Amino acid sequence: MRLERVALLDATEEAEQLARELIAAGAVPPHAAVDAAHIAIAVTNRVHYLVTWNFRHIANAAMRSRIEWTCRSEGYEPPVICTPNELMEVSHGDQ
């Protein structure tokens, strides 16, 4: 897999609202507002994969289901949240 171009994602009011909802729903703790923003920006920009090493608040099985539920309840389809290793396993399996 080769990365050709990386687009900058917009941090919109829509993303700020979703970040607040993620915190209000308990999907992300209040002290991790930056992580909530990271998720919300990816979601509102409709990325397919959110790749992260953040196991505490993002790539965490317990948090992942809350994040996905909150996004869907707000009308968004959440991205696949995974680590770089998980993403590479998917791409190698497709060859």
Side-chain angles (χ1 to χ4, degrees):
M1 178 166 54
R2 194 170 145 196
L3 196 60
E4 294 294 327
R5 212 170 52 125
V6 177
L8 295 177
L9 302 178
D10 292 326
T12 62
E13 177 58 39
E14 182 182 19
E16 289 179 32
Q17 178 60 36
L18 181 57
R20 288 190 292 272
E21 290 298 327
L22 287 164
I23 292 168
V28 178
H31 68 270
V34 171
D35 295 336
H38 184 168
I39 296 163
I41 290 167
V43 170
T44 57
N45 280 276
R46 293 166 177 72
V47 300
H48 298 284
Y49 292 90
L50 174 53
V51 182
T52 182
W53 286 118
N54 183 330
F55 294 106
R56 177 165 273 158
H57 302 124
I58 302 176
N60 171 311
M63 305 292 274
R64 210 177 286 177
S65 62
R66 290 184 205 152
I67 291 166
E68 291 170 355
W69 183 87
T70 303
C71 291
R72 287 187 177 113
S73 72
E74 294 298 314
Y76 299 100
E77 184 59 30
V80 173
I81 297 173
C82 61
T83 66
N85 289 349
E86 291 171 321
L87 184 63
M88 294 307 294
E89 288 174 15
V90 169
S91 68
H92 283 112
D94 290 341
Q95 293 179 347

Coordinates of all heavy atoms in Angstrom, one line a residue:
M1 N 0.9 -1.2 0.0 CA 0.0 0.0 0.0 C 0.9 1.2 0.0 O 1.9 1.3 0.7 CB -0.9 0.0 1.2 CG -1.8 1.2 1.3 SD -3.1 1.1 2.5 CE -2.3 0.7 4.0
R2 N 0.5 2.2 -0.8 CA 1.3 3.4 -0.9 C 0.5 4.6 -0.7 O -0.7 4.7 -1.2 CB 1.9 3.4 -2.3 CG 3.0 4.4 -2.5 CD 3.7 4.2 -3.8 NE 4.0 5.5 -4.3 CZ 4.4 5.8 -5.5 NH1 4.4 4.9 -6.4 NH2 4.7 7.0 -5.8
L3 N 1.0 5.5 0.0 CA 0.2 6.8 0.3 C 0.6 7.8 -0.7 O 1.7 8.3 -0.7 CB 0.6 7.2 1.7 CG -0.3 8.2 2.4 CD1 -1.7 7.7 2.6 CD2 0.3 8.5 3.8
E4 N -0.3 8.1 -1.6 CA -0.1 9.1 -2.6 C -0.2 10.5 -2.2 O 0.7 11.3 -2.5 CB -1.0 8.8 -3.8 CG -0.8 7.5 -4.5 CD 0.5 7.4 -5.2 OE1 1.0 8.4 -5.7 OE2 1.0 6.3 -5.3
R5 N -1.3 10.8 -1.5 CA -1.6 12.2 -1.1 C -2.4 12.1 0.2 O -3.2 11.3 0.4 CB -2.5 12.8 -2.2 CG -2.3 14.2 -2.4 CD -3.1 14.6 -3.7 NE -4.5 14.1 -3.7 CZ -5.5 14.9 -3.8 NH1 -5.3 16.2 -4.1 NH2 -6.7 14.5 -3.8
V6 N -2.1 13.1 1.1 CA -2.8 13.1 2.3 C -3.6 14.5 2.3 O -3.0 15.5 2.2 CB -1.8 13.1 3.5 CG1 -2.6 13.3 4.8 CG2 -1.1 11.8 3.5
A7 N -4.9 14.4 2.4 CA -5.7 15.6 2.5 C -5.8 16.1 3.9 O -5.8 15.3 4.8 CB -7.1 15.2 1.9
L8 N -5.9 17.4 4.0 CA -6.2 18.0 5.3 C -7.7 18.0 5.5 O -8.4 18.3 4.6 CB -5.6 19.5 5.3 CG -4.1 19.6 5.2 CD1 -3.7 21.1 5.2 CD2 -3.4 18.9 6.3
L9 N -8.1 17.6 6.7 CA -9.5 17.6 7.0 C -10.0 18.8 7.7 O -9.2 19.4 8.5 CB -9.7 16.4 7.9 CG -9.3 15.0 7.3 CD1 -9.6 13.9 8.3 CD2 -10.0 14.7 6.0
D10 N -11.2 19.2 7.4 CA -11.8 20.4 8.0 C -12.3 20.2 9.4 O -12.9 19.2 9.7 CB -12.9 20.9 7.1 CG -12.5 21.4 5.8 OD1 -11.4 22.0 5.7 OD2 -13.3 21.2 4.8
A11 N -11.9 21.1 10.3 CA -12.4 21.1 11.7 C -13.6 22.1 11.7 O -13.4 23.3 12.0 CB -11.3 21.5 12.7
T12 N -14.7 21.6 11.4 CA -15.9 22.4 11.2 C -16.7 22.5 12.5 O -16.5 21.8 13.5 CB -16.8 21.8 10.1 OG1 -17.2 20.5 10.6 CG2 -16.1 21.7 8.8
E13 N -17.7 23.4 12.5 CA -18.7 23.4 13.7 C -19.4 22.1 13.8 O -19.6 21.7 15.0 CB -19.7 24.6 13.4 CG -20.7 24.7 14.5 CD -20.2 24.9 15.9 OE1 -19.2 25.6 16.1 OE2 -20.7 24.3 16.9
E14 N -19.7 21.4 12.7 CA -20.3 20.1 12.8 C -19.4 19.1 13.5 O -19.9 18.3 14.4 CB -20.5 19.6 11.3 CG -21.1 18.3 11.1 CD -21.2 17.9 9.7 OE1 -20.5 18.5 8.8 OE2 -22.0 17.0 9.4
A15 N -18.1 19.2 13.3 CA -17.1 18.3 14.0 C -17.1 18.7 15.5 O -17.0 17.8 16.4 CB -15.8 18.4 13.4
E16 N -17.1 20.0 15.8 CA -17.1 20.4 17.2 C -18.3 19.9 17.9 O -18.2 19.5 19.1 CB -17.0 22.0 17.3 CG -15.6 22.5 16.8 CD -15.6 24.0 16.9 OE1 -16.3 24.6 17.8 OE2 -14.9 24.6 16.1
Q17 N -19.5 20.0 17.3 CA -20.7 19.5 17.9 C -20.6 18.0 18.2 O -21.0 17.5 19.2 CB -21.9 19.8 17.0 CG -23.2 19.3 17.6 CD -23.6 19.9 19.0 OE1 -23.3 21.1 19.2 NE2 -24.2 19.1 19.8
L18 N -20.1 17.2 17.2 CA -20.0 15.8 17.4 C -19.0 15.5 18.5 O -19.2 14.6 19.3 CB -19.6 15.1 16.1 CG -19.5 13.6 16.2 CD1 -20.8 12.9 16.7 CD2 -19.0 13.0 14.9
A19 N -17.9 16.2 18.6 CA -17.0 16.0 19.7 C -17.6 16.2 21.0 O -17.4 15.4 22.0 CB -15.8 17.0 19.5
R20 N -18.5 17.3 21.1 CA -19.2 17.5 22.4 C -20.2 16.4 22.7 O -20.3 15.9 23.8 CB -20.0 18.8 22.3 CG -19.1 20.1 22.4 CD -19.9 21.4 22.6 NE -20.7 21.7 21.4 CZ -20.2 22.4 20.4 NH1 -19.0 22.9 20.4 NH2 -21.0 22.7 19.3
E21 N -20.8 15.8 21.7 CA -21.7 14.7 21.8 C -21.0 13.4 22.3 O -21.5 12.7 23.1 CB -22.5 14.4 20.6 CG -23.5 15.5 20.2 CD -24.6 15.6 21.3 OE1 -25.0 14.6 21.9 OE2 -25.1 16.7 21.4
L22 N -19.8 13.2 21.7 CA -19.0 12.0 22.1 C -18.6 12.1 23.6 O -18.7 11.1 24.3 CB -17.7 12.0 21.3 CG -17.9 11.5 19.8 CD1 -16.6 11.9 19.0 CD2 -18.2 10.0 19.8
I23 N -18.4 13.3 24.1 CA -18.0 13.5 25.5 C -19.3 13.4 26.4 O -19.3 12.7 27.4 CB -17.3 14.8 25.7 CG1 -15.9 14.8 25.1 CG2 -17.2 15.2 27.2 CD1 -15.3 16.1 25.0
A24 N -20.4 14.0 25.9 CA -21.6 14.0 26.7 C -22.2 12.5 26.8 O -22.8 12.2 27.8 CB -22.7 14.9 26.0
A25 N -22.0 11.7 25.8 CA -22.5 10.3 25.8 C -21.6 9.4 26.5 O -21.9 8.2 26.7 CB -22.6 9.9 24.3
G26 N -20.4 9.9 27.0 CA -19.5 9.0 27.7 C -18.6 8.2 26.8 O -18.0 7.2 27.2
A27 N -18.7 8.4 25.5 CA -17.9 7.7 24.5 C -16.4 8.0 24.7 O -15.5 7.2 24.4 CB -18.3 7.9 23.1
V28 N -16.1 9.3 25.1 CA -14.8 9.8 25.3 C -14.8 10.6 26.6 O -15.8 11.4 26.8 CB -14.3 10.7 24.2 CG1 -12.9 11.2 24.4 CG2 -14.3 9.9 22.8
P29 N -13.9 10.4 27.5 CA -14.0 11.2 28.8 C -13.7 12.7 28.6 O -13.0 13.0 27.6 CB -12.9 10.5 29.7 CG -12.0 9.8 28.7 CD -12.8 9.5 27.5
P30 N -14.2 13.5 29.4 CA -14.1 15.0 29.3 C -12.6 15.4 29.2 O -12.3 16.3 28.5 CB -14.8 15.5 30.5 CG -15.7 14.5 30.9 CD -15.1 13.2 30.5
H31 N -11.7 14.7 29.9 CA -10.3 15.2 29.9 C -9.6 14.8 28.6 O -8.5 15.2 28.4 CB -9.6 14.6 31.1 CG -9.4 13.1 31.1 ND1 -10.3 12.2 31.6 CD2 -8.4 12.3 30.5 CE1 -9.9 11.0 31.4 NE2 -8.8 11.0 30.7
A32 N -10.3 14.1 27.7 CA -9.7 13.7 26.4 C -10.4 14.4 25.3 O -10.7 13.8 24.2 CB -9.8 12.2 26.3
A33 N -10.7 15.7 25.5 CA -11.4 16.4 24.4 C -10.7 16.4 23.1 O -11.3 16.4 22.0 CB -11.7 17.8 24.9
V34 N -9.4 16.4 23.1 CA -8.6 16.4 21.9 C -8.8 15.1 21.1 O -9.0 15.1 19.9 CB -7.1 16.6 22.2 CG1 -6.2 16.4 21.0 CG2 -6.8 18.0 22.7
D35 N -8.9 14.0 21.9 CA -9.3 12.7 21.2 C -10.7 12.7 20.6 O -10.9 12.2 19.5 CB -9.1 11.6 22.2 CG -7.7 11.4 22.7 OD1 -6.7 11.8 21.9 OD2 -7.5 10.8 23.8
A36 N -11.6 13.3 21.3 CA -13.0 13.5 20.8 C -13.0 14.3 19.5 O -13.7 13.9 18.6 CB -13.9 14.1 21.9
A37 N -12.2 15.3 19.5 CA -12.1 16.2 18.3 C -11.5 15.4 17.1 O -11.9 15.5 16.0 CB -11.3 17.4 18.6
H38 N -10.4 14.6 17.4 CA -9.8 13.8 16.4 C -10.8 12.8 15.8 O -10.9 12.8 14.5 CB -8.7 13.0 17.1 CG -7.8 12.2 16.2 ND1 -6.7 11.6 16.6 CD2 -8.0 11.8 14.9 CE1 -6.1 10.9 15.6 NE2 -6.9 11.0 14.6
I39 N -11.6 12.2 16.6 CA -12.6 11.3 16.1 C -13.6 12.0 15.3 O -14.0 11.6 14.2 CB -13.3 10.5 17.3 CG1 -12.3 9.6 18.0 CG2 -14.5 9.7 16.8 CD1 -12.7 9.2 19.4
A40 N -14.1 13.1 15.8 CA -15.2 13.9 15.2 C -14.8 14.5 13.9 O -15.6 14.5 12.9 CB -15.7 15.0 16.1
I41 N -13.6 14.9 13.8 CA -13.1 15.5 12.5 C -13.0 14.4 11.4 O -13.5 14.5 10.3 CB -11.7 16.2 12.7 CG1 -11.9 17.5 13.5 CG2 -11.1 16.5 11.3 CD1 -10.7 18.1 14.0
A42 N -12.6 13.2 11.8 CA -12.5 12.1 10.9 C -13.9 11.7 10.5 O -14.2 11.4 9.3 CB -11.8 10.9 11.5
V43 N -14.9 11.6 11.4 CA -16.2 11.2 11.1 C -16.9 12.2 10.2 O -17.5 11.8 9.2 CB -17.0 11.0 12.4 CG1 -18.5 10.8 12.2 CG2 -16.5 9.8 13.3
T44 N -16.9 13.4 10.6 CA -17.6 14.4 9.8 C -17.0 14.7 8.4 O -17.7 15.1 7.5 CB -17.8 15.8 10.5 OG1 -16.5 16.3 10.8 CG2 -18.6 15.6 11.8
N45 N -15.8 14.3 8.2 CA -15.1 14.3 6.9 C -15.3 13.0 6.1 O -14.7 12.9 5.1 CB -13.6 14.7 7.0 CG -13.5 16.2 7.2 OD1 -13.5 17.0 6.3 ND2 -13.4 16.7 8.5
R46 N -16.0 12.1 6.8 CA -16.3 10.8 6.1 C -15.1 10.0 5.7 O -15.1 9.4 4.6 CB -17.3 11.0 5.0 CG -18.6 11.5 5.5 CD -19.6 12.0 4.4 NE -20.8 12.4 4.9 CZ -21.1 13.5 5.7 NH1 -20.1 14.3 6.1 NH2 -22.3 13.8 6.1
V47 N -14.1 9.9 6.5 CA -12.9 9.1 6.2 C -13.4 7.6 6.5 O -14.3 7.3 7.3 CB -11.7 9.4 7.1 CG1 -11.2 10.8 6.8 CG2 -11.9 9.2 8.5
H48 N -12.7 6.7 5.8 CA -13.1 5.3 5.9 C -12.4 4.6 7.0 O -12.9 3.7 7.6 CB -12.8 4.6 4.6 CG -13.6 5.1 3.4 ND1 -14.9 4.8 3.2 CD2 -13.2 5.9 2.4 CE1 -15.3 5.4 2.2 NE2 -14.4 6.1 1.6
Y49 N -11.1 5.0 7.3 CA -10.3 4.4 8.4 C -9.8 5.5 9.3 O -9.2 6.5 8.7 CB -9.2 3.6 7.8 CG -9.6 2.4 7.1 CD1 -9.9 2.4 5.7 CD2 -9.7 1.2 7.8 CE1 -10.3 1.3 5.1 CE2 -10.1 0.0 7.1 CZ -10.4 0.1 5.8 OH -10.8 -1.1 5.1
L50 N -9.8 5.3 10.6 CA -9.2 6.2 11.5 C -8.1 5.3 12.1 O -8.3 4.4 12.9 CB -10.1 6.7 12.6 CG -9.5 7.5 13.7 CD1 -8.7 8.7 13.2 CD2 -10.6 8.0 14.7
V51 N -6.8 5.6 11.7 CA -5.7 4.8 12.1 C -5.0 5.5 13.3 O -4.6 6.7 13.2 CB -4.7 4.6 11.0 CG1 -3.5 3.7 11.4 CG2 -5.5 4.0 9.8
T52 N -4.8 4.8 14.4 CA -4.2 5.4 15.6 C -3.5 4.4 16.5 O -3.8 3.2 16.4 CB -5.4 6.1 16.4 OG1 -4.8 6.7 17.5 CG2 -6.4 5.1 16.9
W53 N -2.6 4.9 17.2 CA -1.9 4.1 18.3 C -2.5 4.5 19.7 O -2.1 4.0 20.7 CB -0.4 4.4 18.4 CG 0.4 3.8 17.3 CD1 1.1 4.4 16.3 CD2 0.5 2.4 17.0 NE1 1.7 3.6 15.4 CE2 1.3 2.3 15.8 CE3 0.0 1.2 17.5 CZ2 1.7 1.1 15.3 CZ3 0.4 0.0 17.0 CH2 1.2 -0.1 15.9
N54 N -3.6 5.3 19.7 CA -4.2 5.7 20.9 C -5.1 4.6 21.5 O -6.3 4.6 21.1 CB -4.9 7.0 20.7 CG -5.6 7.6 22.0 OD1 -5.9 6.8 22.9 ND2 -5.7 8.9 22.0
F55 N -4.6 3.7 22.3 CA -5.3 2.6 22.9 C -6.2 3.1 24.0 O -7.1 2.4 24.4 CB -4.4 1.5 23.3 CG -3.7 0.8 22.2 CD1 -2.3 1.1 22.0 CD2 -4.4 0.0 21.3 CE1 -1.7 0.5 20.9 CE2 -3.7 -0.6 20.3 CZ -2.4 -0.4 20.1
R56 N -5.9 4.2 24.6 CA -6.6 4.6 25.8 C -8.0 5.1 25.5 O -9.0 4.7 26.1 CB -5.8 5.7 26.5 CG -6.6 6.3 27.7 CD -5.8 7.1 28.6 NE -5.1 6.2 29.6 CZ -4.0 6.4 30.2 NH1 -3.4 7.5 30.1 NH2 -3.6 5.5 31.0
H57 N -8.2 6.0 24.5 CA -9.5 6.6 24.2 C -10.0 6.3 22.8 O -11.2 6.7 22.5 CB -9.4 8.1 24.4 CG -9.0 8.4 25.8 ND1 -7.9 9.3 26.0 CD2 -9.4 8.1 27.0 CE1 -7.7 9.4 27.3 NE2 -8.7 8.7 27.9
I58 N -9.3 5.7 21.9 CA -9.8 5.6 20.5 C -9.7 4.1 20.1 O -10.8 3.5 19.9 CB -9.0 6.5 19.5 CG1 -9.1 7.9 20.0 CG2 -9.5 6.3 18.1 CD1 -8.3 8.9 19.1
A59 N -8.6 3.5 20.0 CA -8.5 2.1 19.5 C -8.6 1.2 20.7 O -7.7 0.4 21.1 CB -7.1 1.9 18.8
N60 N -9.7 1.2 21.4 CA -10.0 0.5 22.6 C -11.3 -0.2 22.4 O -12.3 0.5 22.1 CB -10.0 1.6 23.7 CG -10.5 1.0 25.1 OD1 -11.5 0.4 25.1 ND2 -9.7 1.4 26.1
A61 N -11.4 -1.5 22.6 CA -12.6 -2.2 22.3 C -13.8 -1.7 23.1 O -14.9 -1.6 22.5 CB -12.4 -3.7 22.6
A62 N -13.6 -1.3 24.3 CA -14.8 -0.8 25.1 C -15.2 0.5 24.6 O -16.4 0.8 24.5 CB -14.4 -0.8 26.6
M63 N -14.3 1.4 24.3 CA -14.6 2.7 23.8 C -15.1 2.7 22.4 O -16.0 3.5 22.0 CB -13.4 3.7 23.9 CG -12.7 3.7 25.2 SD -13.7 4.5 26.4 CE -13.2 6.2 26.1
R64 N -14.6 1.8 21.6 CA -15.0 1.8 20.2 C -16.5 1.6 20.0 O -17.1 2.3 19.1 CB -14.2 0.6 19.5 CG -13.9 0.8 18.1 CD -13.1 -0.3 17.5 NE -11.7 -0.3 18.0 CZ -10.8 -1.2 17.7 NH1 -11.1 -2.2 17.0 NH2 -9.5 -1.0 18.2
S65 N -17.1 0.7 20.7 CA -18.5 0.5 20.6 C -19.3 1.7 21.0 O -20.3 2.1 20.3 CB -19.0 -0.8 21.3 OG -18.8 -0.6 22.7
R66 N -18.9 2.4 22.0 CA -19.6 3.7 22.4 C -19.4 4.8 21.4 O -20.3 5.5 21.1 CB -19.0 4.2 23.7 CG -19.4 3.3 24.9 CD -18.9 3.9 26.2 NE -18.7 2.9 27.2 CZ -17.9 3.0 28.2 NH1 -17.1 4.0 28.3 NH2 -17.8 2.0 29.0
I67 N -18.2 4.8 20.8 CA -17.9 5.8 19.8 C -18.8 5.6 18.6 O -19.5 6.5 18.0 CB -16.4 5.8 19.4 CG1 -15.6 6.3 20.5 CG2 -16.2 6.6 18.1 CD1 -14.1 6.0 20.4
E68 N -18.9 4.3 18.1 CA -19.7 3.9 17.0 C -21.2 4.2 17.2 O -21.9 4.8 16.4 CB -19.5 2.5 16.6 CG -18.1 2.2 16.0 CD -17.7 0.8 15.9 OE1 -18.5 -0.1 16.3 OE2 -16.7 0.5 15.3
W69 N -21.7 3.8 18.4 CA -23.1 4.1 18.7 C -23.4 5.6 18.7 O -24.4 6.0 18.2 CB -23.4 3.5 20.1 CG -24.8 3.6 20.5 CD1 -25.8 2.8 20.1 CD2 -25.4 4.7 21.2 NE1 -27.0 3.3 20.6 CE2 -26.8 4.5 21.2 CE3 -24.9 5.9 21.8 CZ2 -27.7 5.3 21.9 CZ3 -25.8 6.7 22.4 CH2 -27.2 6.5 22.4
T70 N -22.5 6.4 19.3 CA -22.8 7.8 19.4 C -22.8 8.4 18.0 O -23.6 9.2 17.7 CB -21.7 8.5 20.3 OG1 -21.8 7.9 21.6 CG2 -22.0 10.0 20.4
C71 N -21.8 8.0 17.2 CA -21.8 8.6 15.8 C -23.0 8.2 15.1 O -23.6 9.1 14.4 CB -20.5 8.0 15.1 SG -19.0 8.6 15.7
R72 N -23.5 7.0 15.2 CA -24.7 6.6 14.4 C -25.9 7.3 15.0 O -26.8 7.6 14.2 CB -24.8 5.0 14.5 CG -23.8 4.3 13.6 CD -24.0 2.8 13.5 NE -23.0 2.3 12.6 CZ -22.0 1.5 13.0 NH1 -21.9 1.1 14.2 NH2 -21.2 1.1 12.1
S73 N -26.0 7.5 16.3 CA -27.1 8.1 16.9 C -27.2 9.6 16.4 O -28.3 10.2 16.5 CB -27.1 8.0 18.4 OG -26.1 8.8 19.0
E74 N -26.0 10.2 16.0 CA -26.0 11.5 15.5 C -26.1 11.6 14.0 O -26.0 12.7 13.4 CB -24.7 12.2 16.0 CG -24.6 12.4 17.5 CD -25.7 13.3 18.0 OE1 -26.0 14.4 17.4 OE2 -26.4 12.9 19.0
G75 N -26.3 10.4 13.4 CA -26.5 10.4 11.9 C -25.3 10.2 11.1 O -25.3 10.5 9.9
Y76 N -24.2 9.8 11.7 CA -23.0 9.6 10.9 C -22.6 8.1 10.9 O -22.9 7.4 11.9 CB -21.8 10.3 11.6 CG -22.0 11.8 11.7 CD1 -22.4 12.4 12.8 CD2 -21.7 12.6 10.6 CE1 -22.6 13.8 12.9 CE2 -21.9 14.0 10.6 CZ -22.3 14.6 11.8 OH -22.5 15.9 11.9
E77 N -21.9 7.7 9.9 CA -21.4 6.3 9.8 C -19.9 6.5 10.3 O -19.1 7.2 9.7 CB -21.4 5.8 8.4 CG -20.9 4.3 8.3 CD -21.7 3.4 9.2 OE1 -22.9 3.6 9.5 OE2 -21.1 2.4 9.6
P78 N -19.6 5.8 11.4 CA -18.2 5.9 11.9 C -17.2 5.2 11.0 O -17.5 4.3 10.3 CB -18.3 5.3 13.3 CG -19.3 4.3 13.1 CD -20.4 4.9 12.2
P79 N -15.9 5.7 11.0 CA -14.9 5.0 10.3 C -14.5 3.7 11.0 O -14.8 3.5 12.2 CB -13.7 6.0 10.3 CG -13.9 6.8 11.5 CD -15.4 6.8 11.7
V80 N -13.8 2.9 10.3 CA -13.2 1.7 10.9 C -12.0 2.3 11.8 O -11.2 2.9 11.2 CB -12.7 0.7 9.9 CG1 -11.9 -0.4 10.6 CG2 -13.8 0.1 9.1
I81 N -12.1 2.0 13.1 CA -11.0 2.5 14.0 C -10.0 1.3 14.1 O -10.4 0.2 14.5 CB -11.6 2.9 15.3 CG1 -12.5 4.1 15.1 CG2 -10.4 3.3 16.3 CD1 -13.2 4.5 16.4
C82 N -8.8 1.5 13.8 CA -7.8 0.5 13.9 C -6.4 1.0 14.1 O -6.1 2.2 14.0 CB -7.8 -0.4 12.6 SG -7.5 0.5 11.1
T83 N -5.5 0.1 14.4 CA -4.1 0.5 14.5 C -3.4 0.3 13.2 O -4.0 -0.4 12.3 CB -3.3 -0.5 15.5 OG1 -3.3 -1.8 15.0 CG2 -4.0 -0.4 16.9
P84 N -2.2 0.9 13.0 CA -1.5 0.7 11.7 C -1.3 -0.8 11.4 O -1.5 -1.2 10.3 CB -0.2 1.4 11.9 CG -0.6 2.5 12.9 CD -1.5 1.9 13.8
N85 N -1.0 -1.6 12.4 CA -0.8 -3.0 12.2 C -2.0 -3.7 11.7 O -2.0 -4.5 10.8 CB -0.3 -3.7 13.5 CG 1.1 -3.3 13.9 OD1 1.8 -2.7 13.1 ND2 1.5 -3.7 15.1
E86 N -3.2 -3.3 12.3 CA -4.5 -3.9 11.8 C -4.7 -3.6 10.4 O -5.2 -4.4 9.6 CB -5.6 -3.5 12.7 CG -5.6 -4.1 14.1 CD -6.6 -3.5 15.1 OE1 -6.8 -2.2 15.0 OE2 -7.2 -4.2 15.9
L87 N -4.5 -2.3 10.0 CA -4.7 -1.9 8.7 C -3.8 -2.6 7.7 O -4.3 -3.0 6.6 CB -4.5 -0.4 8.5 CG -4.8 0.2 7.2 CD1 -6.3 0.0 6.8 CD2 -4.4 1.7 7.1
M88 N -2.6 -2.8 8.1 CA -1.6 -3.5 7.2 C -2.1 -5.0 7.0 O -1.9 -5.6 5.9 CB -0.2 -3.5 7.7 CG 0.4 -2.1 7.7 SD 0.3 -1.3 6.1 CE 1.4 -2.3 5.2
E89 N -2.6 -5.6 8.1 CA -3.1 -7.0 8.0 C -4.2 -7.1 7.0 O -4.3 -8.0 6.2 CB -3.6 -7.5 9.3 CG -2.4 -7.8 10.3 CD -2.9 -8.2 11.7 OE1 -4.1 -8.5 11.9 OE2 -2.1 -8.1 12.6
V90 N -5.1 -6.1 7.0 CA -6.2 -6.0 6.0 C -5.7 -5.9 4.6 O -6.1 -6.6 3.7 CB -7.2 -4.9 6.3 CG1 -8.2 -4.6 5.2 CG2 -7.9 -5.1 7.6
S91 N -4.8 -5.0 4.4 CA -4.3 -4.8 3.0 C -3.5 -6.0 2.5 O -3.5 -6.3 1.3 CB -3.4 -3.5 2.9 OG -2.2 -3.6 3.6
H92 N -2.7 -6.7 3.4 CA -2.0 -7.8 2.9 C -2.9 -9.0 2.6 O -2.6 -9.8 1.8 CB -1.0 -8.3 4.0 CG 0.2 -7.4 4.0 ND1 0.5 -6.5 5.0 CD2 1.2 -7.2 3.1 CE1 1.6 -5.9 4.8 NE2 2.1 -6.2 3.6
G93 N -4.0 -9.1 3.4 CA -5.0 -10.1 3.1 C -5.7 -10.0 1.8 O -6.2 -11.0 1.3
D94 N -5.7 -8.8 1.2 CA -6.4 -8.5 0.0 C -5.6 -8.9 -1.2 O -6.1 -8.8 -2.3 CB -6.8 -7.1 -0.1 CG -7.9 -6.7 0.9 OD1 -8.6 -7.6 1.4 OD2 -8.1 -5.5 1.2
Q95 N -4.3 -9.2 -1.0 CA -3.4 -9.4 -2.2 C -3.6 -10.8 -2.8 O -3.9 -11.7 -2.3 CB -2.0 -9.2 -1.8 CG -1.7 -7.8 -1.5 CD -0.2 -7.6 -1.1 OE1 0.5 -8.5 -0.8 NE2 0.2 -6.3 -1.0

